Amino acid sequence: KMFNDTECFYKCGITKNSVRIRYRGRLKNYEYEIISEETMCLYDAYKLEKIYKQTHKHISYTPKYKFAGHTECYISQEPETQAKS
Protein backbone atom coordinates (compact mmCIF):
# COMPACT_ATOMS: atom_id res chain seq x y z
CA LYS A 1 0.00 0.00 0.00
CA MET A 2 1.52 3.34 -1.02
CA PHE A 3 0.27 6.68 0.18
CA ASN A 4 0.89 10.36 0.88
CA ASP A 5 -1.37 13.25 1.89
CA THR A 6 -3.36 13.13 -1.37
CA GLU A 7 -3.06 9.60 -2.77
CA CYS A 8 -3.52 6.02 -1.65
CA PHE A 9 -3.06 3.05 -3.97
CA TYR A 10 -1.58 -0.45 -4.14
CA LYS A 11 1.61 -1.55 -5.88
CA CYS A 12 1.93 -5.14 -7.04
CA GLY A 13 5.10 -6.45 -8.63
CA ILE A 14 8.10 -8.70 -8.46
CA THR A 15 11.62 -8.05 -7.23
CA LYS A 16 14.63 -10.25 -6.59
CA ASN A 17 15.16 -8.41 -3.28
CA SER A 18 12.79 -7.66 -0.42
CA VAL A 19 10.46 -4.68 -0.74
CA ARG A 20 12.42 -2.81 1.93
CA ILE A 21 15.68 -3.25 0.02
CA ARG A 22 14.10 -2.38 -3.33
CA TYR A 23 12.72 0.96 -2.15
CA ARG A 24 15.27 1.87 0.54
CA GLY A 25 15.98 5.58 0.07
CA ARG A 26 14.25 5.69 -3.32
CA LEU A 27 10.68 6.73 -2.51
CA LYS A 28 10.66 10.47 -2.03
CA ASN A 29 6.94 11.16 -2.51
CA TYR A 30 5.30 8.13 -0.90
CA GLU A 31 5.27 6.13 2.28
CA TYR A 32 4.39 2.46 2.12
CA GLU A 33 3.02 -0.41 4.14
CA ILE A 34 3.76 -4.00 3.12
CA ILE A 35 0.46 -5.88 2.86
CA SER A 36 1.94 -9.14 1.59
CA GLU A 37 5.34 -10.36 0.46
CA GLU A 38 5.93 -13.89 -0.83
CA THR A 39 9.14 -15.68 -1.76
CA MET A 40 9.03 -17.84 -4.90
CA CYS A 41 11.08 -18.64 -7.97
CA LEU A 42 11.30 -15.88 -10.57
CA TYR A 43 9.35 -17.82 -13.21
CA ASP A 44 6.39 -18.42 -10.88
CA ALA A 45 6.46 -14.78 -9.76
CA TYR A 46 6.45 -13.63 -13.39
CA LYS A 47 3.46 -15.88 -14.25
CA LEU A 48 1.52 -14.70 -11.20
CA GLU A 49 2.23 -11.04 -11.95
CA LYS A 50 1.11 -11.47 -15.56
CA ILE A 51 -2.20 -13.03 -14.47
CA TYR A 52 -2.74 -10.28 -11.87
CA LYS A 53 -2.12 -7.51 -14.42
CA GLN A 54 -4.58 -9.07 -16.89
CA THR A 55 -7.37 -9.62 -14.36
CA HIS A 56 -7.01 -6.27 -12.59
CA LYS A 57 -6.36 -3.83 -15.43
CA HIS A 58 -9.81 -2.31 -14.85
CA ILE A 59 -8.55 -0.90 -11.52
CA SER A 60 -5.09 0.22 -12.69
CA TYR A 61 -3.91 3.56 -11.33
CA THR A 62 -1.29 6.07 -12.47
CA PRO A 63 0.40 7.76 -9.48
CA LYS A 64 1.08 11.50 -9.55
CA TYR A 65 4.80 10.91 -9.02
CA LYS A 66 6.76 8.34 -11.00
CA PHE A 67 8.95 5.76 -9.25
CA ALA A 68 10.38 2.35 -10.15
CA GLY A 69 7.27 0.23 -10.70
CA HIS A 70 4.78 3.09 -11.09
CA THR A 71 3.06 1.23 -13.96
CA GLU A 72 2.04 -1.62 -11.62
CA CYS A 73 -0.32 0.32 -9.37
CA TYR A 74 -3.99 -0.26 -8.59
CA ILE A 75 -6.85 1.36 -6.69
CA SER A 76 -8.97 -0.43 -4.12
CA GLN A 77 -11.96 -2.42 -5.36
CA GLU A 78 -14.14 -1.23 -2.47
CA PRO A 79 -17.36 0.51 -3.50
CA GLU A 80 -17.05 4.26 -2.95
CA THR A 81 -19.85 4.31 -0.36
CA GLN A 82 -17.97 1.81 1.84
CA ALA A 83 -14.61 3.53 1.37
CA LYS A 84 -15.95 6.78 2.88
CA SER A 85 -17.32 5.23 6.09
Side-chain angles (χ1 to χ4, degrees):
K1 179 178 178 181
M2 303 186 87
F3 56 94
N4 62 21
D5 290 341
T6 60
E7 292 177 280
C8 182
F9 54 91
Y10 296 88
K11 159 79 173 85
C12 180
I14 59 176
T15 179
K16 67 179 183 176
N17 298 309
S18 70
V19 175
R20 283 179 176 49
I21 291 172
R22 176 169 168 81
Y23 287 119
R24 181 179 49 209
R26 295 186 183 141
L27 285 177
K28 307 226 182 308
N29 297 300
Y30 298 104
E31 293 183 56
Y32 69 90
E33 172 187 344
I34 298 172
I35 303 297
S36 178
E37 185 174 8
E38 300 294 328
T39 302
M40 63 184 72
C41 75
L42 181 59
Y43 181 70
D44 289 343
Y46 173 77
K47 288 191 314 185
L48 188 60
E49 181 185 51
K50 187 174 180 178
I51 291 167
Y52 190 89
K53 283 181 174 182
Q54 289 173 346
T55 58
H56 291 83
K57 61 184 165 187
H58 65 285
I59 57 168
S60 66
Y61 177 76
T62 303
K64 244 188 230 185
Y65 304 102
K66 290 184 179 178
F67 58 89
H70 71 277
T71 61
E72 301 163 331
C73 296
Y74 304 89
I75 55 171
S76 173
Q77 294 186 63
E78 287 184 41
E80 195 168 323
T81 55
Q82 288 181 351
K84 289 181 181 179
S85 24

